[in-house]
Each structure stands twice: as C-alpha cells, then as structure tokens.
C-alpha cells in the first residue's frame, strides 16, 4: 500500500527536478518556411482542398483550405511530400495551426457541415511520388478546434499530436476533410532531443527524446568519479534525475561546470567537492594546482597527520626531572615538567629508561624494576617506579615524543640519578602447601617483592593448632627462624588443622615488618598414609575404581546434558567447562531480610570514606548524583571508581532502597556485571562505590560513535551482555529492565550489565510507564507476557536482550521510534516486529526475531544466545549477508493527504535537525531541493546522492521514515 504514494512522490520529484534547459526541436517539415513549393497532392484534384495565397505583413503566406459545407459525402484529402525520418528518432511531433468556421454561420448548410478534420499517416521506405492510395494511411487523430470562427476575426487554433512508433525511412501525412470549412495555416513536423549539457561536473551528449532513456556521461576535465555519471532524458526532451558524483581532482576545485586549479597559496588534498584551502600553518606557500603544501624547514608532519594539518616541530626535552621516594618499600615517583617547546602538537608522550650505574659502567635495569603505568607512551608527566633495590644508583632518562619527534636532530631527554634507601621489609603474600603427611607439612611462601640484595634477611614462621570449638589454645605458638622461604615441619598430630603465619626480617637495621594472615593447613589422617604405604598392592584397585568412577561421572554428565537440552532449567551449556558444572549459588532477594541492614552487612564491604575522593559529576540517578572518583587501594595505588550518592533529605525507606542495589550487586561476580567495590553506610552521606566505566551508558556511547564501530565489534559487545545475562539467569536473577541505557561500557569497550535497583519495577527508569495493572514497565523493552500479567522471567529478559541487540545494531536508535507505547503494544500483539536495522547482518537479525517469539518457551535461553554469538564471532564471513532493510516494509502506512510535510521549511533545515548538514551541497547538487523530493527518496537514492557512510545513510533513511510517519496511522513491522 505504500507503493502508490512513493510512485506519486517520485513522479513529483521527477517533475520538480526538471532542469531548466529546454528541449531542442529538429524540424523535418515546416509548411510556412516552404512557401509555395509545397508540392502537396490533393484528392480530388478539384473542389477539394485548395492552396490559397494570402499577404500577411507584406509577405506571402500559403494555406490549404476547403469549405464544402453544404454537400454531403465529402472526402477531401491533401497529402504532404515524403518526410524523411531521422534514424535515431522513432517519435515525431506534428504541430498544426488552423481555423474552422462555425457551422451555425452557414444556416441551412449546418445539417451537412462539420467542424473537425482528420490527421493520417503512412510510413514508407521510399518516396512513392504521386502515387497516393488512401488505404495505406492510418488515422492518427481527429483534429477539433478549441474555438470556431464566427465573425470576421479568425480564431487560430494550435494542436500538437505525437506520432509513435515510426520505423520506416520516412512517412507522409494527410489531412482528410469530411465537410468542414477549414483553413490549414501551418504544419510543422519535428522531433525532440535533450540538448548536450554539463551537470555537476559531468558532460552528457545530446540525446534523442523518444522514451525515458538513461544516458551515461563523462566527468569534465580534471574531475573523476567512482561510478559512471548517469541522467535520464525524458520523451519530452528534458533531463531529469542526475546521478552524478564527479569530483575535482586533488589540486582542483569546482567552479560552475569545470574544475580549476587551486590558486597559489591554496591546496586541495583529495578528489572531493571541497574548495581549495589556504595552506596550513608552518608550510611553504604552494604553487597553483597544489594537492598539498610542503612543510617549512624544521617543521614536519607525522605519517598519521592529514595533509590539512599544520606542520609541527619536534618537542624539546622534558624539564625539572625529580624523584621522590614514595614509601619505605621500594617505590619512587619520577616527575617532570612538560617541554617548553611542544612543537604545536597535542600528542605528546614520554618514555622512561632506567640504568643501574656504578663508577665504571651502566647496565639497563631490564625487567627487575616495574613502571606502574608502563615505561612508554606515558601521557602524564610522571610515573611510579617500583621493585627498586636500595643502594643501587639508578639513572632514569625521560624522553619526550610526539608524532614528529623522529625528525628531531636531537633526542629530547632529561636524566636523573637517584639512590633509593629503604628499610621496609617485604611482606609474605601467601603460603603454599607443597606436601603433607599425617605428622608433617611442607610449606613455602611468596613475597610482595624481592628482599634487597645487599641486606641479609630471614623468616620467622609461627604456627599453632587451630582452635577446636570450646578449646582455646591461642598462646601456644611455635616459632621457627628460617633462612629459606620453605620448610618441612614434623612431629605434628595427624588429621589436625594448624594455622601458619610468616614474617620477613631484615637485619641488622630492619624496620619491623608485619606477619602474614593466618593460613590453615591440615595434616593427613593415618589411614590415608597407610594406603600410601602400600602403593603397589592398592594401585590396581585405585586405578580400577577411578576408571569406573570416571565412566559413571561421564555417563551422568551425558545424561544430564541430554536432559538439559530437552527441557528448560539446569545448566544448558553443551560444553563441560568447570565453570558450568560448578553449581552457582542462587541470588538472595534482600527483601527477604526483615532488617535490610543485615543484607547489606552480609553481601557488601563497608568502605572508609577517607579512602575515596569524588572528582566530577558524571550522571544523575534516581537517588542522587553519580561521581567519577578515586579510591585508594592498599598496594595498588589508586583505582578509578564511580560513586553513587544519596541526595540530602532522604527518608529511611529511600536510604534502604538506595542501598538495596548494593546488596544485590554485591552478590554478583562476573566480568560482564558491574563490580561493586563497596558501600559507605556508617556515615551521614551513604554512597555506593562501583568500578568506573569510562565510556558511560551504552545507548549514549553508541549514539556518539555512530558508524565508527564495525559489526564485528558490536557483536563482541552483545556477546558480553549476553554472558552477563546468562550469569544472572543462572543465579535465578531476573533483571526486568535490561536496556542499552542500563549497560555500561569501559575503555576496552567491554559491556557490563548494571542497574539493579530494588525499587524495580521501575521507579527510577524514565521509560517506566504505569500499566493498567499498576507498576511501571518500560514498554518498548518488555515482553508481552510481562506487560500483560507481570510474568517476569529470564525468558522476558531474553526479549529485552533482543531489543538491546536492535539498539546496538541501530547505534542507539530508539526502538519503535516515535510510536506511542500504546501503538507499540498493539503492533506487537498483531505480530509485527521491529525491522532489521540498516546494514545489520542477517544472522543477528534472525536471533533478534527468535528473542521476540510470542511464546516465551520458544525463545532461546541466554546460554543458547552466548553460543550463537560465539559461533558468529568465530566465523566473521557469516556476518556478510545483510538483512533486508526495506523502508517500504518498515515504514508506517502513508496517508492519502499527499507528500506535504510542514515540519521543515527547507532541506538544509531538515538536514541540520539530524546533524547531517555536511550533505547540504550533495542534496542540492542532486536536485533534492524540497521536502517533497526528500520524501520521495529511496535508500539507493541516498547512496547515489553521495552519502556513503552506513550510519549516515541509516540516519537519513530513518529520518525520512519519521517524516513519513507524521502523516501515518499505523505502523507496519512485517515479520
Ligand atoms: P544510574 O543511577 O545507575 O542509572 O546512573 C546514572 C548515570 O551515571 C548512568 O547513566 C551513567 O552515565 C553514569 N554511571 C553510573 N554508573 C557508572 C559507572 N560505574 N561508570 C561510569 N558511569 C556510570
């Protein structure tokens, strides 16, 4: 049903882009111009058509006339001479000028009198001379006057008839009178051409106009095009719908219909429709026709700098290099000031090199030391160096780099020599069990760093039996002083747990260290050791039992797998990864605790507010502002975090609702679920601290990076979200508000599911709409059964995931555009679904449709979705087939009120509204100058206009759909 309107619009479009050039006429016969030499045949020879000579403005005019109005059975013919047809034209136009006298002026003769005459044609391959046979003529038209002549003043009529198709070498025309009083003043026969023209830098040849014909052209001198320029010549001899992408070569710019050299001092780097630009800073003035401006001496461009960038100079050396000992444990802060001369660049980075020097020589520090943010590509003028030994002479050299530093004649370096003197001993980070027996344990341990080489050190190991309930034995520690970081302890009690702790001591001037945490190890039972003492006897039996056990386990696993694949519930993944076999603990609804504070204590770590620092507001949530900030982490320095705050004046209920998100989040641990660092509850201003996601909410990120992210990467993001959702569904947690706005993106483009507010559903979501059954629901993201009877399950989360897939593939487009929630529900219930986003791989769209199955048991599970996405990621060629993007299927039905849209007054105004003003010129060049033209555009037209980036095409196409929707009544999302 959309088609007729589109055709109508297209027709309008053709009419309106008619180019001002008029058609050209090639005359084959002109009665006026021929004077008396007409030589036309009349039949009958007498009393029929007669040639009449009249003087008009002192020149002779010949006309044919006949006026036998009072006799019946008139059949008077006059035939032209042979008119040669031009081989290229199969259509001719016949223009007649004539006078017909009103029959009423003849009184009694009006009975036989006529007021029309007939035009005939006969085709022939050769001039047949005077042989004139009426039977060979076919009738073209009955010619009737618009105005008959009554008085003395003649009323001249002009009529034009087109004669098609013609195939022979020539033809005769004949005029038959059957009793009219008529004078034929002029007969003009001609064919039309579209004249040669230059449109948008492409030249098209003169073309005969006999049907709508596509004509190819060539770019003008110094212009090029990726595709052949095309235009249509209409049957009326007019050029329409130019599809031209000729662009002036580098060094040339367009003026009217030609490409001219850039003036001296200007340049144009590529074939484009841009104008020449003034040479950028620090370049030499160019000659005429320059494609680039060469850098001045001492200035350069980096290989990645565009030719439009100014040339820049290498940086000078970093200044004021200093070193500061950070703590007593081998860490040093190197800091410096940026170079005085940055060379006009903003891509300055630093690298730091380290050498250990004594009096005679220096050697590279190598891997022995660690730069916390790496030794190279440093953006900040400072770095923390750790794992340094004391009493070494370290020489650090800091070098400034920029995109052009390789062109510098001197390396921009600053050097400092420093010695670190510290006495803080390293710490024991963990103790390992290497071997055990009924009365012995062999242990070893690892240190936070190497003890300094020049200071001797030893270990103090303390152990005791672990308390048995009711018995306390805290005082009886055994202490061993050891040189090595391993020990075997004998004479222990079988089948008993001992607690061990170790301390590192430096001597002689050591600062006191601290003991590691108590770690428990258990001696083996006696029976176990007896078994071990009879290895050969028991080995066969053990192996046998193990084999049988393995078989039993394998059979059980296989049965379990096939059961799972038949029905819903239980681990569904076909792969036996340990992760999947390990039963996940189920999520505990904090509501089930009478006192919500207990849930918080149980699931969440309390953070000391002094270790966090708010830096900048990055968002606003339901309960208050969200900040980016830093959290001090022991041994790791500072960690970027997001800090959610509770706004002042909250009620106790609001405080509990606010913190309940943390009690939910605190139960999760998965790379695709936002990680909770902890909460601050013990102070007036409660805060929730989570990992910081540099790129913020997914919907905003996608909108801002439209077109920049390739489908493969979008798929990777979706895979992450699906894995997070699989984890949640395995934990029996139903999210209920999965949407791109509730997914966060970090700097590595990893996506993490967030927003676990307990006040769901869904006080804090602007999309939440009260349904007739009460409660707020984000309609466009929610499965029908959840809207209708609040059946929220992992299967309804799968539906929402399908919508997130669509949002991702449509770069943050709003699902169902501007349709109202009511319209969305109606369309979904009538089995309509969102159409494939533009350029969306077919396999991904198919998966979306699966997620939107009305019957929730038919939707894939998150484990299926993860598997499918993994397979797609493993075979990128499966993404090559693109789902149909057919706006005529997905648009709303047109109204019958025509193409008018009053929303935008001009094409530039519309383009500006969708931030696509860069295409103003392209649209104008293609003749798309009114909103009616815009409405008539098809997707392929958009591409032809010169919009090549998929995201831009999509934005323009969707906007056109939106405009069409303005006059629509119902949406059509056909599946
Ligand atoms: P929320 O209250 O969770 O919806 O957060 C409000 C806004 O704060 C989000 O839309 C994000 O823009 C921002 N935000 C929340 N949490 C984080 C985070 N962990 N990292 C970065 N931005 C965040």
């Amino acid at each position: 049903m959309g088609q007729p309107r589109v055709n109508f619009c297209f027709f309008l479009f053709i009419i309106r882009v008619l180019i001002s050039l008029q058609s050209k006429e090639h005359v084959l016969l002109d009665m006026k111009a021929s004077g008396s030499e007409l030589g036309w045949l009349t039949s009958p020879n007498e009393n029929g058509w007669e040639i009449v000579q009249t003087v008009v403005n002192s020149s002779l005019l010949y006309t044919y006339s006949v006026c036998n109005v009072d006799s019946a059975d008139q059949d008077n013919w006059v035939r032209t001479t042979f008119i040669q047809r031009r081989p290229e034209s199969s259509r001719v136009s016949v223009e007649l000028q004539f006078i017909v006298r009103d029959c009423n002026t003849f009184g009694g003769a009006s009975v036989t009198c006529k007021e029309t005459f007939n035009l005939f044609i006969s085709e022939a391959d050769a001039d047949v001379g005077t042989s004139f046979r009426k039977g060979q003529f076919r009738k073209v038209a009955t010619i009737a006057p618009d105005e008959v002549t009554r008085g003395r003043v003649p009323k001249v009529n002009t009529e034009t008839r087109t004669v098609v198709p013609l195939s022979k070498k020539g033809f005769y025309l004949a005029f038959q009178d059957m009793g009219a009083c008529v004078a034929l003043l002029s007969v003009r026969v001609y064919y039309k051409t579209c004249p040669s023209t230059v449109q948008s830098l492409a030249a098209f040849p003169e073309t005969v106009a006999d049907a709508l014909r596509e004509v190819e052209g060539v770019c003008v001198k110094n212009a090029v095009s990726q595709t052949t320029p095309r235009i249509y010549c209409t049957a009326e001899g007019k050029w329409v719908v130019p599809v031209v992408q000729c662009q002036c070569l580098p060094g040339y710019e367009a003026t009217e219909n030609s490409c001219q050299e850039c003036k001296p001092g200007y340049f144009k780097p590529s074939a484009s429709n841009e104008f020449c630009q003034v040479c950028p800073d620090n370049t030499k003035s160019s000659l005429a026709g320059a494609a680039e401006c060469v850098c001045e001496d001492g200035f350069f461009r980096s290989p990645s700098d565009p030719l439009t960038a100014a040339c820049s100079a290498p940086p000078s050396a970093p200044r004021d290099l200093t070193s500061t000992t950070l703590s007593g444990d081998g860490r040093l802060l190197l800091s410096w000031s940026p170079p005085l001369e940055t060379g006009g660049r903003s891509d300055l980075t630093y690298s730091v090199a380290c050498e250990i020097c004594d009096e005679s020589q220096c050697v590279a520090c190598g891997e022995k030391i660690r730069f916390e943010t790496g030794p190279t590509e440093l953006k900040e003028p400072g770095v923390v160096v750790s794992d340094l030994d004391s009493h070494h002479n370290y020489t650090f050299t800091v070098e400034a780099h920029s995109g052009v530093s390789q062109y510098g004649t001197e390396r921009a370096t600053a050097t400092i020599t420093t010695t670190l003197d510290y006495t803080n001993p390293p710490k024991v980070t963990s103790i390992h069990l290497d071997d055990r027996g009924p009365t012995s344990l062999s242990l070893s341990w690892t240190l936070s760093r190497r003890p300094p080489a020049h200071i001797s050190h030893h270990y103090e190991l303390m152990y005791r039996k672990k308390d048995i309930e009711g018995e306390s034995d805290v005082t009886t520690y055994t202490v061993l002083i050891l040189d090595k970081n391993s020990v075997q302890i004998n004479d222990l009690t079988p089948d008993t747990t001992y607690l061990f702790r170790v301390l590192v001591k430096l001597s002689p001037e050591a600062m006191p260290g601290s003991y590691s945490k108590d770690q428990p190890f258990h001696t083996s039972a006696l029976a176990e050791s007896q078994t071990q003492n009879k290895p050969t006897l028991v080995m066969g039996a053990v192996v046998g039992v193990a084999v049988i056990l393995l078989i039993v386990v394998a059979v059980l696993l296989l049965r379990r797998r096939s059961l799972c694949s038949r029905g819903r519930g239980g681990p569904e993944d076909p792969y036996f990864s340990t992760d999947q076999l390990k039963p996940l603990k189920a999520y505990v609804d904090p509501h089930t605790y009478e006192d919500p504070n207990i849930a918080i204590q149980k699931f969440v770590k309390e953070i000391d507010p002094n270790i966090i620092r708010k830096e900048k507001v990055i968002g606003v949530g339901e309960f208050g502002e969200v900040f980016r900030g830093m959290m001090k982490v022991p041994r790791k320095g500072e960690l970027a975090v997001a800090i959610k705050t509770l706004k002042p004046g909250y009620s106790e209920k609001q405080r509990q609702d606010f913190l309940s998100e943390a009690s939910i989040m605190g139960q999760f641990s998965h790379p695709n679920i936002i990680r909770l660092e902890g909460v601050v509850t013990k102070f007036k201003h409660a805060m929730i601290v989570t990992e910081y996601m540099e790129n913020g909410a997914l919907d905003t990120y996608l909108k801002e990076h439209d077109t920049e992210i390739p489908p493969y990467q979008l798929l990777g993001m979706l895979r992450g979200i699906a894995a997070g959702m699989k984890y949640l569904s395995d934990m029996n947690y139903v999210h209920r508000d999965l949407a791109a706005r509730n997914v966060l993106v970090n700097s590595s483009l990893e996506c993490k599911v967030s927003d676990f507010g307990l006040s769901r559903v869904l006080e804090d979501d602007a999309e939440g709409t009260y349904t007739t059954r009460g409660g707020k629901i984000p309609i466009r993201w929610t499965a029908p059964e959840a809207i209708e009877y609040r059946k929220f399950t992992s299967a309804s989360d799968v539906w929402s995931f399908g919508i997130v897939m669509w949002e991702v593939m449509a770069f943050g487009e709003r699902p169902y555009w501007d349709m109202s929630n009511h319209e969305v529900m109606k369309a979904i219930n009538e089995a309509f679904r969102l159409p494939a986003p533009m350029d969306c791989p077919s396999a991904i769209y198919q998966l979306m449709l699966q997620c939107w199955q009305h019957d929730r048991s038919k939707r894939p599970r998150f484990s299926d979705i993860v598997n499918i996405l993994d397979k797609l990621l493993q075979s990128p060629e499966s993404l090559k087939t693109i789902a149909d993007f057919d706006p005529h299927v997905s648009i709303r039905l047109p109204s019958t009120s025509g193409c008018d849209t009053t929303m935008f007054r001009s094409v530039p105004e519309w383009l500006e509204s969708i931030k696509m003003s860069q295409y103003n010129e392209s649209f104008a060049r293609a003749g798309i100058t009114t909103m009616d033209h815009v409405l008539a555009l098809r997707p392929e037209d958009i591409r032809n206009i010169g919009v090549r980036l998929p995201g831009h095409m999509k934005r323009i196409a969707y906007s056109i759909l939106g405009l069409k929707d303005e006059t629509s009544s119902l949406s059509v999302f056909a599946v």
Side-chain angles (χ1 to χ4, degrees):
M1 277 185 76
Q3 211 55 40
R5 177 171 174 238
V6 169
N7 287 342
F8 172 64
C9 293
F10 190 64
F11 174 70
L12 261 186
F13 171 54
I14 289 187
I15 300 293
R16 293 183 190 201
V17 291
L18 285 181
I19 295 152
S20 56
L21 279 174
Q22 287 305 310
S23 60
K24 193 166 157 188
E25 292 173 358
H26 297 260
V27 178
L28 301 174
L29 172 87
D30 188 352
M31 178 175 152
K32 274 188 193 159
S34 308
S36 63
E37 306 303 318
L38 286 171
W40 292 8
L41 283 183
T42 53
S43 165
N45 264 342
E46 301 211 344
N47 301 326
W49 290 94
E50 280 175 1
I51 192 158
V52 180
Q53 183 184 323
T54 335
V55 180
V56 178
N57 294 340
S58 60
S59 49
L60 273 175
L61 187 71
Y62 292 88
T63 59
Y64 275 97
S65 60
V66 60
C67 196
N68 300 340
V69 290
D70 46 4
S71 331
D73 303 327
Q74 290 295 309
D75 184 25
N76 307 311
W77 290 71
V78 58
R79 191 210 71 179
T80 64
T81 44
F82 186 62
I83 306 168
Q84 295 270 359
R85 182 175 72 86
R86 293 290 147 79
E88 49 301 352
S89 158
S90 62
R91 137 191 312 244
V92 291
S93 300
V94 180
E95 184 200 81
L96 305 174
Q97 285 182 351
F98 57 94
I99 299 165
V100 178
R101 193 157 271 286
D102 184 356
C103 282
N104 293 325
T105 56
F106 297 112
S110 63
V111 181
T112 50
C113 174
K114 305 265 180 327
E115 289 179 350
T116 59
F117 62 101
N118 297 323
L119 168 65
F120 281 80
I121 188 167
S122 168
E123 284 195 77
D125 276 327
D127 191 347
V128 294
T130 53
S131 151
F132 173 35
R133 273 182 277 155
K134 295 175 196 168
Q136 288 177 337
F137 279 77
R138 76 179 150 92
K139 184 166 166 183
V140 176
T142 298
I143 309 293
D146 290 334
E147 267 191 295
V148 286
T149 301
R150 294 196 177 91
R152 293 186 143 268
V153 184
K155 303 281 187 205
V156 179
N157 295 281
T158 304
E159 289 282 322
T160 305
R161 291 287 182 273
T162 304
V163 189
V164 275
L166 300 177
S167 54
K168 295 198 175 170
K169 288 198 175 136
F171 56 91
Y172 296 94
L173 295 177
F175 304 93
Q176 180 199 28
D177 160 58
M178 297 173 78
C181 189
V182 49
L184 204 50
L185 310 181
S186 160
V187 177
R188 217 162 62 85
V189 183
Y190 58 89
Y191 70 94
K192 287 185 195 167
T193 55
C194 292
S196 61
T197 182
V198 175
Q199 293 287 320
S200 308
L201 302 177
F204 297 94
E206 182 176 7
T207 303
V208 169
D210 46 8
L212 188 64
R213 185 185 284 194
E214 193 184 59
V215 181
E216 292 193 348
V218 286
C219 293
V220 298
K221 201 172 161 208
N222 297 319
V224 285
S225 156
Q226 284 177 347
T227 53
T228 311
R230 284 177 293 118
I231 197 167
Y232 285 90
C233 173
T234 67
E236 286 71 44
K238 290 179 178 156
W239 293 115
V240 290
V241 200
V243 182
V244 188
Q245 282 126 39
C246 292
Q247 296 176 326
C248 289
L249 288 171
Y252 290 85
E253 66 185 350
T255 51
E256 294 256 342
N257 286 329
S258 65
C259 291
Q260 291 198 349
E261 284 182 331
C262 294
K263 285 185 287 186
Y266 285 73
F267 77 110
K268 203 190 92 179
S270 57
S272 71
N273 289 323
E274 311 281 310
F275 290 111
C276 301
Q277 305 173 35
V278 179
C279 285
D281 288 349
N282 305 323
T283 57
K284 295 178 184 164
S285 183
S286 61
L287 300 175
E292 74 175 281
C293 303
V294 180
C295 291
E296 270 180 18
D297 294 343
F299 289 88
F300 309 90
R301 283 197 185 97
S302 85
S304 60
D305 283 348
L307 289 172
T308 46
C311 295
S312 45
S316 58
R319 295 166 300 137
D320 311 328
L321 178 58
T322 55
S323 70
T324 318
T325 306
L326 278 187
S327 58
D329 64 352
R331 294 196 321 142
L332 186 83
L333 172 68
L334 278 183
S335 55
W336 56 91
S337 306
L340 269 182
E341 207 34 82
T342 58
R345 300 188 67 89
S346 56
D347 59 349
L348 206 64
T349 60
Y350 306 96
S351 66
V352 185
C354 168
E355 289 180 315
I356 300 172
C357 299
D358 59 23
E359 278 102 56
S360 56
Q361 59 166 0
C362 289
V363 287
C365 303
E367 309 253 296
K368 279 182 243 148
I369 63 156
R370 204 164 62 80
F371 294 94
E372 292 194 353
T373 40
T376 56
E377 303 285 323
L378 295 169
K379 297 221 161 45
E380 301 301 325
V383 65
V384 174
V385 195
S386 54
D387 291 353
L388 294 169
D389 281 336
S390 60
H391 302 294
H392 269 324
N393 266 349
Y394 287 101
T395 300
F396 293 100
T397 305
V398 181
E399 205 172 323
H401 303 271
S402 74
V404 296
S405 50
Q406 71 267 36
Y407 305 112
T409 45
E410 282 171 29
R411 290 164 57 147
T413 60
T415 301
I416 189 171
T417 299
T418 183
T419 306
L420 196 68
D421 193 2
Y422 65 88
T423 50
N424 225 1
K427 291 191 187 91
V428 171
T429 47
S430 61
I431 308 173
H432 319 279
L433 176 67
D434 296 334
D435 199 6
R436 67 174 185 164
T439 57
S440 67
L441 288 168
S442 295
L443 304 174
S444 59
W445 47 93
T446 45
L447 304 186
S448 57
R449 61 182 161 77
R450 275 175 302 117
H454 61 287
I455 302 178
S456 67
H457 64 279
H458 63 267
Y459 304 99
E460 222 174 77
L461 178 125
M462 288 171 79
Y463 68 93
R464 67 176 171 87
K465 267 191 199 164
K466 188 169 181 239
D467 298 344
I468 304 167
E469 241 169 280
E471 284 176 40
S472 180
D473 195 13
V474 283
T475 48
T476 51
Y477 267 105
T478 307
V479 180
L480 302 177
I481 305 293
L482 304 161
D483 287 338
K484 284 197 300 172
N485 67 333
S486 60
V487 67
Q488 176 169 346
I489 304 161
N490 297 315
D491 301 327
L492 301 174
T493 314
D495 200 10
T496 302
T497 303
Y498 287 85
L499 296 176
F500 292 85
R501 52 168 75 166
V502 187
L503 168 78
V504 189
K505 282 199 153 177
L506 305 182
S507 47
E509 72 272 49
M511 282 170 69
S514 58
Y515 273 103
S516 64
K517 272 195 259 149
D518 276 353
Q519 265 183 263
F521 295 102
H522 199 85
T523 51
S524 51
L526 272 174
E528 230 177 274
S529 79
Q530 277 156 9
T531 318
Q532 280 166 7
N533 289 340
K534 298 173 196 159
T536 39
L537 243 179
V538 184
M539 202 52 157
V542 169
V543 170
V545 170
V547 168
I548 291 166
L549 266 176
L550 267 177
I551 292 169
V552 171
V553 169
V555 168
L556 280 176
L557 287 177
L558 281 169
R559 277 196 55 191
R560 182 178 168 144
R561 179 186 174 187
S562 65
L563 279 174
C564 290
S565 60
R566 267 181 253 139
R568 192 172 262 282
E572 309 98 343
D573 208 295
Y575 306 110
F576 291 96
S577 82
T578 47
D579 205 24
Q580 266 112 21
L581 291 177
K582 190 171 67 195
L584 276 169
K585 61 180 181 351
Y587 140 82
V588 182
D589 184 346
H591 261 135
T592 53
Y593 287 80
E594 218 165 277
D595 179 357
N597 293 318
I598 303 207
I600 292 168
Q601 278 166 23
K602 186 163 161 59
F603 299 121
V604 183
K605 193 171 96 186
E606 180 73 26
I607 294 181
D608 175 356
N610 293 321
I611 67 164
I612 49 180
R613 171 166 44 95
K614 290 188 222 142
E615 281 184 344
K616 186 182 161 210
V617 177
I618 49 169
V620 181
E622 134 104 344
F623 294 99
E625 287 159 323
V626 182
F627 291 81
R628 187 194 65 200
M630 297 305 271
M631 182 169 86
K632 283 190 202 136
V633 184
R635 284 189 303 279
K636 285 192 192 152
E638 287 201 313
L639 185 74
V641 287
I643 305 165
K644 283 190 175 185
T645 57
L646 179 58
K647 59 190 164 214
Y650 53 83
S651 65
E652 180 53 25
K653 160 96 175 54
Q654 281 172 324
R655 182 174 176 277
Q656 283 172 5
D657 281 350
F658 171 68
L659 291 172
S660 66
E661 180 173 15
S663 349
I664 297 173
M665 232 191 290
Q667 298 181 50
F668 303 140
S669 166
H670 188 274
N672 297 104
I673 304 291
I674 196 82
R675 189 181 69 243
L676 178 73
E677 298 293 351
V679 289
V680 176
T681 61
K682 306 225 164 108
F683 292 82
K684 192 170 158 223
H685 300 292
M687 289 180 251
I688 298 178
V689 182
T690 64
E691 66 181 303
Y692 176 60
M693 301 292 283
E694 293 81 352
N695 281 314
L698 175 61
D699 60 336
T700 319
Y701 177 78
L702 289 167
K703 278 179 211 148
E704 283 165 5
H705 294 81
D706 195 352
T707 75
E708 289 167 24
I709 318 170
Y712 188 78
Q713 193 149 19
L714 294 177
L715 198 57
M717 296 168 100
L718 286 174
R719 198 266 175 212
I721 304 168
M725 289 308 296
K726 175 183 176 313
Y727 172 84
L728 293 182
S729 69
D730 287 347
M731 295 262 302
N732 292 336
Y733 178 81
V734 179
H735 190 288
R736 299 183 178 210
D737 193 14
L738 178 60
R741 65 182 169 279
N742 289 332
V743 172
L744 295 169
V745 188
N746 69 11
S747 57
S748 328
L749 297 197
E750 281 166 337
C751 287
K752 307 202 181 198
V753 179
S754 80
D755 225 313
F756 301 98
L758 196 70
S759 52
R760 52 197 45 247
V761 185
L762 295 150
E763 310 297 315
D764 60 337
D765 191 332
E767 283 293 346
T769 298
Y770 285 100
T771 61
T772 46
R773 299 169 147 259
K776 275 172 118 187
I777 287 181
I779 298 292
R780 293 149 212 267
W781 282 264
T782 307
E785 73 277 6
I787 298 176
E788 251 170 67
Y789 49 96
R790 327 207 112 249
K791 185 76 190 160
F792 284 97
T793 57
S794 290
S796 62
D797 276 354
V798 164
W799 177 291
S800 313
F801 179 77
I803 303 288
V804 172
M805 289 181 77
W806 190 92
E807 290 184 276
V808 168
M809 299 314 294
F811 287 99
E813 191 73 50
R814 180 172 167 74
Y816 311 97
W817 301 278
D818 299 330
M819 284 171 73
S820 69
N821 280 342
H822 180 74
E823 282 177 312
V824 171
M825 286 191 281
K826 188 165 179 290
I828 293 296
N829 284 334
E830 287 168 6
F832 295 120
R833 296 292 183 266
L834 278 166
M838 186 176 258
D839 289 328
C840 175
S842 182
I844 300 182
Y845 184 54
Q846 289 311 316
L847 184 56
M848 289 180 207
L849 293 176
Q850 293 300 311
C851 296
W852 300 329
Q853 294 258 21
H854 194 270
D855 179 350
R856 69 175 191 280
S857 70
K858 290 197 179 137
R859 292 175 206 152
R861 290 155 297 188
F862 279 115
S863 54
D864 300 324
I865 295 175
V866 172
N867 283 343
I868 292 170
L869 293 176
D870 276 344
K871 289 210 178 91
L872 292 177
L873 281 166
Q874 279 154 19
S875 54
E877 54 304 339
S878 60
L879 303 178
K880 285 203 179 126
T881 315
I882 300 300
D884 280 347
F885 168 78
D886 184 353
H888 299 141
V889 176
S890 57
I891 59 173
R892 295 164 176 222
L893 288 180
S895 75
T896 47
S897 60
C899 309
D900 283 349
T901 172
T902 48
M903 277 189 74
F904 299 103
R905 275 165 302 174
S906 65
V907 178
E909 191 179 305
W910 163 65
L911 284 171
E912 194 189 337
S913 78
I914 54 171
K915 300 203 173 63
M916 290 280 109
S917 292
Q918 66 266 45
Y919 294 111
N920 274 342
E921 213 179 292
S922 312
F923 273 67
R925 213 177 311 116
I928 315 296
T929 50
T930 70
M931 289 309 290
D932 285 338
H933 298 164
V934 169
L935 278 167
L937 288 172
R938 299 159 301 170
E940 59 271 29
D941 296 331
I942 300 172
R943 194 187 296 267
N944 287 337
I945 284 168
V947 182
R948 282 298 158 89
L949 292 173
H952 292 186
M953 284 171 63
K954 191 189 65 185
R955 184 175 297 178
I956 290 169
Y958 278 148
S959 169
I960 294 174
L961 296 187
L963 292 174
K964 288 176 176 173
D965 284 350
E966 285 305 304
T967 49
S968 70
S969 53
L970 178 69
S971 62
V972 180
F973 300 116
V975 179

